């Protein structure tokens, strides 16, 4: 069941984030990168929940996937943020941010990320956005986004709070 996330979901979202990073991240990142990502990335962004742009999927009574979109400047959680990350984006000039997609490894490759992404794009589109931007981790997300019409713009690196660097890909999608 796909639904909007709420603050009571926060510990469950964090668990899914950690398990996803540990289980799916091993194919793309080394042990140090995964350990650092668990600390610096597995942090639910409560602004997404407050903005009602973050989704969760429950299966068999358990939260197993999460993700959403943002109408704010922040592109990703990890690393040092810019001063204007909380500003509202202008849909006529800027891309909505696709944010914080994680699937529990036991539920991977069953279309849950796709369901969340489609709901996110539809809602962002209804809010006036015609472009979408994201920072894809190399641990499976990049392949899903490619399959769903996103195109790579450039390789990118995220420097986490402890100095560990993760290779990622900046991606965009445009919808008319």
């Amino acid at each position: 069941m796909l639904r909007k996330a709420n603050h009571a979901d926060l510990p469950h979202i964090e668990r899914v984030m950690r398990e996803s990073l540990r289980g799916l991240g091993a194919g793309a990142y080394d042990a140090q990168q995964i350990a650092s990502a668990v600390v610096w990335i597995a942090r639910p962004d409560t602004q997404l929940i407050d903005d009602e742009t973050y989704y969760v999927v429950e299966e068999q009574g358990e939260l197993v996937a999460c993700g959403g979109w943002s109408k704010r400047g922040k592109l990703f959680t990890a690393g040092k943020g810019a001063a204007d990350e909380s500003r509202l984006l202008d849909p006529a000039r800027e891309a909505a941010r696709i944010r914080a997609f994680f699937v529990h490894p036991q539920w991977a490759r069953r279309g849950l990320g796709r369901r969340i992404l489609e709901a996110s794009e539809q809602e962002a589109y209804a809010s006036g956005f015609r472009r979408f931007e994201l920072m894809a981790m190399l641990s499976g997300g990049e392949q899903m986004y490619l399959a769903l019409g996103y195109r790579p713009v450039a390789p990118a690196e995220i420097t986490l709070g402890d100095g560990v660097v993760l290779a990622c890909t900046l991606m965009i999608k445009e919808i008319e």
Side-chain angles (χ1 to χ4, degrees):
M1 175 182 80
L2 176 70
R3 65 171 176 79
K4 295 280 180 110
N6 61 60
H7 284 271
D9 294 321
L10 287 171
H12 307 289
I13 292 169
E14 187 173 341
R15 177 189 51 80
V16 168
M17 290 175 159
R18 287 192 316 264
E19 293 303 317
S20 180
L21 288 164
R22 287 183 185 124
L24 302 175
Y29 302 107
D30 66 30
Q32 180 185 18
Q33 290 171 312
I34 292 168
S36 180
V38 166
V39 171
W40 295 99
I41 294 176
R43 299 174 170 185
D45 186 339
T46 58
Q47 184 67 63
L48 297 173
I49 293 172
D50 292 343
D51 286 346
E52 298 183 0
T53 59
Y54 202 64
Y55 296 91
V56 295
V57 174
E58 291 179 317
E59 295 290 342
Q60 301 173 3
E62 180 181 358
L63 197 148
V64 297
C66 54
W69 71 282
S70 181
K71 53 189 166 188
R72 298 184 183 274
K74 185 183 238 183
L75 184 57
F76 56 88
T77 296
K80 296 182 170 104
D84 69 344
E85 285 185 336
S86 64
R87 73 176 173 80
L88 290 173
L89 298 169
D90 177 359
R93 296 182 305 106
E94 298 175 287
R97 311 302 198 227
I98 300 300
R99 298 272 319 276
F101 274 66
F102 295 91
V103 177
H104 192 284
Q106 293 176 336
W107 290 88
R109 293 169 188 54
R110 298 188 194 191
L112 303 180
R114 175 188 295 258
R115 283 175 42 199
I116 297 170
L117 184 59
E118 288 171 351
S120 296
E121 288 176 348
Q122 288 170 6
E123 188 174 58
Y125 187 89
S127 295
F129 289 95
R130 299 299 180 261
R131 290 187 310 127
F132 309 96
E133 181 178 40
L134 60 87
M135 186 68 70
M137 295 182 69
L138 305 181
S139 55
E142 182 180 34
Q143 293 306 312
M144 177 188 78
Y145 297 122
L146 283 169
L148 296 174
Y150 284 78
R151 66 178 175 79
V153 174
E157 292 184 338
I158 296 174
T159 302
L160 303 178
D162 57 4
V164 171
V165 176
L166 294 182
C168 295
T169 303
L170 180 64
M171 303 181 84
I172 63 165
K173 180 178 182 178
E174 296 184 37
I175 297 175
E176 292 303 319

